[in-house]
Amino acid sequence: FKIVRNQPLRYGSAADKQIWHDLVRSMDSALRLRHHRPGTLLTHAPYLHARTGGRMGSLSHLIREAALVCLLDGTEKITKKLLEQIELDSAAEQRARAPHRRRTPSRRQP
């Protein structure tokens, strides 16, 4: 296999969000699960971005693994609860667990 290094997709501007939503929508529409309602994953787009750090490979792994689990357990439906149970690559897991630090101005000593 070949390693392809892509920058994570951003989720700041309206254009960034549209690109991410289009990606999630395309993956959502490819699912062939009996109880899946099209568009369900799109409702979780902000969560999916935060969870994967905007990495397409991590997103693909998350959705594929969730689809396999729900096929095997017979539910054939991806839920946010199921997505939360899927373990991702270490970079995505560290990004999801990292506390969001606010920058505070340092106090100057007189």
Side-chain angles (χ1 to χ4, degrees), residues 3-39:
I3 295 175
V4 178
R5 298 191 192 283
N6 292 326
Q7 292 296 317
L9 295 173
R10 292 178 286 196
Y11 200 70
S13 71
D16 294 339
K17 289 177 183 177
Q18 186 61 52
I19 291 168
W20 183 257
H21 288 196
D22 289 346
L23 177 61
V24 172
R25 185 180 297 111
S26 69
M27 291 184 174
D28 182 278
S29 68
L31 292 171
R32 299 294 178 254
L33 301 169
R34 189 177 331 144
H35 301 291
H36 176 74
R37 284 185 289 157

Side-chain angles (χ1 to χ4, degrees), residues 8-102:
L9 295 173
R10 292 178 286 196
Y11 200 70
S13 71
D16 294 339
K17 289 177 183 177
Q18 186 61 52
I19 291 168
W20 183 257
H21 288 196
D22 289 346
L23 177 61
V24 172
R25 185 180 297 111
S26 69
M27 291 184 174
D28 182 278
S29 68
L31 292 171
R32 299 294 178 254
L33 301 169
R34 189 177 331 144
H35 301 291
H36 176 74
R37 284 185 289 157
T40 299
L41 292 181
L42 194 55
T43 64
H44 302 305
Y47 164 78
L48 292 169
H49 188 274
R51 178 80 195 281
T52 63
R55 291 176 173 79
M56 290 183 280
S58 298
L59 176 66
S60 175
H61 171 80
L62 178 60
I63 294 171
R64 182 177 56 246
E65 184 78 16
L68 289 171
V69 168
C70 72
L71 277 169
L72 293 173
D73 72 14
T75 59
E76 293 198 40
K77 180 179 181 179
I78 295 177
T79 63
K80 187 173 178 183
K81 183 177 180 179
L82 173 59
L83 292 168
E84 290 170 342
Q85 295 172 1
I86 304 298
E87 187 175 333
L88 290 178
D89 57 277
S90 61
E93 290 292 342
Q94 287 174 355
R95 172 120 168 91
R97 276 190 246 122
H100 297 290
R101 295 181 185 163
R102 288 188 176 171

